[in-house]
Amino acid sequence: MARLERCGVEGSRSGADTVIQASVDIDRFVKELSENVDMPVNLYLLGGGSMMYAGLKFFTKDIDLVVRTEGEYRCVVEAMERMGFRSIRPGAGYSRMNLSDMLEREDGYRIDLFHDRVCGKLRLSEGMASRATERTRHGGVILRSCSMEDILIFKSITERDGDLEDSKAIIVGARIDWKVFLGEVEAQVSEGEDVWITWIADRLWLLKEQAGLSVPVLDRIIRMADDFLERWESELLDRNGLRGVP
């Protein structure tokens, strides 16, 4: 079976290894941001930050944030630059991919910021936004953390250090509604951005077969991944004029 490269979002770290150990640290960032933005901003929290609010993680090395509009994205970047942050994304390719960036300050505080899609693949959908829980607000800035079902989806398409362990912690420690999980995956696949379904299938297979965790939707996800790979192989043969060639 063909293997397609999984999304990685690692970058170089130029400052001290600041570790965010409490949600109060995230709240402090939101407050500082609110003092530097010039428009209302809705932030959606992914990754370790959301897991901290859910009591499933005790620290995180960075804060993963998504905004839904280009205006909010540019507003946040400009505000963070005034706060002393600078882009540390190596090379122009990633920073231009779907208006996403990695920003860090001299004190080592790091923010991974995405506009609408994470790694240019998964979209912060209406369903995800509706399931998010408000955690704090300062001025015109509101921070919401995504549901654990949606965090598990996002964790399944990345390969940063700790993502597999985080996925285990979510399944073990949270009451995952697998119907919600599957419904979101199917909805996003229906939009055509479905290469990542193979990454989710790989991750869930590892969680079931190697970690021994219950993953009730695994068979359905594997069928979706197989369907994608069949279409991908067929389109590849057609593009290269190889169909029917022995």
Side-chain angles (χ1 to χ4, degrees):
M1 183 176 74
R3 183 172 179 83
L4 303 178
E5 185 179 357
R6 181 186 291 270
C7 172
V9 289
E10 281 295 279
S12 60
R13 293 186 63 80
S14 57
D17 274 339
T18 295
V19 174
I20 299 161
Q21 297 181 327
S23 58
V24 67
D25 295 327
I26 301 175
D27 182 78
R28 188 179 300 115
F29 166 78
V30 174
K31 184 176 186 299
E32 185 179 359
L33 182 67
S34 72
E35 295 167 352
N36 286 274
V37 296
D38 55 13
M39 64 177 285
V41 173
N42 290 287
L43 300 171
Y44 292 86
L45 182 65
L46 306 179
S50 277
M51 293 179 67
M52 287 172 65
Y53 276 110
L56 298 176
K57 195 165 185 172
F58 299 108
F59 67 89
T60 184
K61 293 181 179 180
D62 50 39
I63 300 175
D64 299 321
L65 296 172
V66 184
V67 291
R68 302 188 71 193
T69 70
E70 183 175 342
E72 288 176 308
Y73 176 86
R74 296 193 183 281
C75 174
V76 171
V77 170
E78 291 170 3
M80 290 181 63
E81 289 173 348
R82 290 191 287 271
M83 292 160 60
F85 285 85
R86 65 183 183 88
S87 174
I88 59 168
R89 170 58 53 195
Y94 188 96
S95 62
R96 292 176 181 173
M97 185 180 71
N98 216 62
L99 289 176
S100 299
D101 209 345
M102 178 185 292
L103 301 107
E104 189 177 69
R105 200 158 52 184
E106 286 187 358
D107 58 10
Y109 214 88
R110 196 181 90 189
I111 307 294
D112 290 353
L113 182 65
F114 299 93
H115 165 229
D116 194 45
R117 293 185 185 272
V118 175
C119 295
K121 299 297 180 184
L122 278 177
R123 184 172 63 87
L124 184 76
S125 68
E126 290 289 344
M128 289 181 170
S130 69
R131 287 188 290 272
T133 301
E134 182 176 327
R135 297 301 185 181
T136 188
R137 66 168 67 201
H138 291 280
V141 179
I142 302 174
L143 177 74
R144 297 178 175 89
S145 64
C146 290
S147 72
M148 287 302 102
E149 288 80 10
D150 297 325
I151 297 301
L152 182 58
I153 294 174
F154 283 115
K155 285 282 182 184
S156 296
I157 72 164
T158 57
E159 57 180 2
R160 295 187 297 186
D161 292 341
D163 280 335
L164 179 59
E165 292 303 315
D166 285 348
S167 297
K168 293 178 185 177
I170 291 171
I171 292 177
V172 171
R175 294 182 177 180
I176 294 297
D177 186 330
W178 290 104
K179 183 177 180 180
V180 169
F181 178 96
L182 182 60
E184 182 63 39
V185 171
E186 290 178 333
Q188 299 233 10
V189 165
S190 71
E191 295 182 4
E193 295 286 348
D194 53 356
V195 60
W196 46 264
I197 190 63
T198 62
W199 308 333
I200 291 182
D202 283 348
R203 176 61 50 82
L204 295 183
W205 185 88
L206 286 173
L207 291 168
K208 181 179 186 293
E209 297 299 325
Q210 293 189 9
L213 300 178
S214 174
V215 184
V217 299
L218 179 58
D219 288 346
R220 170 59 179 150
I221 296 293
I222 288 177
R223 287 197 298 272
M224 293 168 69
D226 287 344
D227 288 345
F228 166 77
L229 288 171
E230 288 178 7
R231 293 195 305 273
W232 176 77
E233 183 178 12
S234 177
E235 291 169 3
L236 184 65
L237 290 173
D238 287 341
R239 283 197 304 269
N240 290 280
L242 298 176
R243 184 174 296 281
V245 177

